[in-house]
Amino acid sequence: MAVSCFVKPVPMTLVSAGSQATNGPAVNLLNDLPDMVWRTDAVTSSDIVLTVPAGTVVDCIALLFSNLRSTDRVRVRAANSTTATINSPVFDSRDQDAYEGVKADNFKTKTIIFAPDVTATHWRITVTATNHPDGFIQASRVVIGKSVNTTHDMDYSCKQFSRNQSIVTEGNGWETVEHYDPLPGWTVKFSYIPMDVWKDIFFPFLHSASNSKAILFVPIPDQPETWQHEVVYGRMKAEPGGDCDHYDGWRTELTVIGLAS
């Protein structure tokens, strides 16, 4: 099993959007509130440009909870100015399929592009969804950041689950349900994390994200055909931490529950 990775979004600022509907400005991509979306204004090809702080190292870019089909295309370019993202990017993913594999209808598309470490301030995400039946592009969140992992595989005793949000009220002979979409989640265990990795990389990440900041969890980064049903963008629950059970390492168990989108 491949080494799972976690990505905490870095601070971002929206510079421009090629198209945005009045009720769906692109700035909505920068918050985690449900039903706040970027929607293009009746066009199926557009882009956005975002900036990150100078010196930020990035290796993961994700456009989450979109209406994109597997045949639609996403391209990511990075440079140190808006113009340079077109004329002389330091990173260019070229056109990528919005996703691979099978996606059930009750999952929104998650497009994830991994890159070698890139240090650039401006990031351009271009989406092309020719002949999309909706007549527009829509997405809920963008993530740009540096992935972290434990360097060792997660244990096979991991658990994937669906958290029910609906409110069920029962009485004698009757039952009603106030329906809310279920939230995907994982409980993952890492039985060995090297001491240096824990103290220098992984615990600083846990302390930074804690249980209040949303993170992107990719269980199997080298199998993109699994991402649509397994990747979770959400928050860690309880107090993320670990136990020093080895003379030279740590173990941890983390629960991540997806955010409503």
Side-chain angles (χ1 to χ4, degrees):
M1 188 174 291
V3 179
S4 306
C5 74
F6 301 81
V7 184
K8 184 171 76 74
V10 300
M12 291 172 280
T13 301
L14 179 70
V15 175
S16 64
S19 174
Q20 52 188 343
T22 302
N23 63 345
V27 71
N28 284 348
L29 291 168
L30 305 183
N31 69 64
D32 294 325
L33 297 175
D35 299 322
M36 299 280 286
V37 301
W38 166 46
R39 177 180 291 181
T40 59
D41 190 11
V43 299
T44 55
S45 180
S46 188
D47 61 7
I48 58 172
V49 177
L50 303 131
T51 60
V52 302
T56 300
V57 178
V58 171
D59 72 353
C60 180
I61 309 93
L63 186 68
L64 304 177
F65 313 132
S66 74
N67 65 343
L68 298 180
R69 306 160 296 178
S70 61
T71 53
D72 297 328
R73 311 288 275 174
V74 177
R75 181 180 183 182
V76 175
R77 287 168 284 182
N80 288 313
S81 72
T82 299
T83 301
T85 59
I86 297 175
N87 297 334
S88 53
V90 297
F91 169 74
D92 187 346
S93 72
R94 307 296 179 183
D95 281 339
Q96 304 283 323
D97 291 338
Y99 70 89
E100 298 181 28
V102 176
K103 180 178 70 67
D105 290 341
N106 57 335
F107 286 85
K108 297 177 182 177
T109 299
K110 298 176 284 288
T111 302
I112 305 170
I113 294 175
F114 286 103
D117 285 355
V118 180
T119 304
T121 55
H122 289 61
W123 291 81
R124 181 182 295 271
I125 302 174
T126 302
V127 182
T128 304
T130 305
N131 297 322
H132 198 295
D134 290 344
F136 55 81
I137 297 164
Q138 179 171 300
S140 295
R141 189 67 166 93
V142 65
V143 170
I144 297 176
K146 179 74 172 73
S147 60
V148 300
N149 60 54
T150 64
T151 74
H152 285 63
D153 297 345
M154 65 180 178
D155 297 357
Y156 280 98
S157 57
C158 59
K159 175 184 178 182
Q160 185 181 21
F161 59 87
S162 177
R163 173 63 56 86
N164 178 32
Q165 294 190 101
S166 298
I167 301 171
V168 180
T169 305
E170 299 179 348
N172 292 329
W174 61 272
E175 179 179 282
T176 63
V177 178
E178 186 177 350
H179 178 77
Y180 295 93
D181 289 340
L183 303 176
W186 281 89
T187 296
V188 291
K189 300 177 182 179
F190 299 92
S191 58
Y192 179 73
I193 305 171
M195 190 70 73
D196 287 347
V197 173
W198 176 263
K199 71 181 181 65
D200 295 336
I201 299 173
F202 203 69
F203 185 69
F205 158 75
L206 294 180
H207 184 61
S208 175
S210 191
N211 56 8
S212 61
K213 296 178 182 177
I215 59 169
L216 182 70
F217 173 56
V218 186
I220 313 179
D222 63 354
Q223 295 183 17
E225 68 275 10
T226 69
W227 293 350
Q228 298 310 304
H229 295 170
E230 295 189 359
V231 168
V232 171
Y233 178 69
R235 295 189 178 94
M236 291 183 284
K237 298 302 177 181
E239 295 179 344
D243 298 293
C244 187
D245 282 353
H246 312 281
Y247 78 93
D248 63 346
W250 290 70
R251 68 175 176 87
T252 188
E253 178 177 315
L254 304 171
T255 296
V256 183
I257 299 179
L259 301 183
S261 60

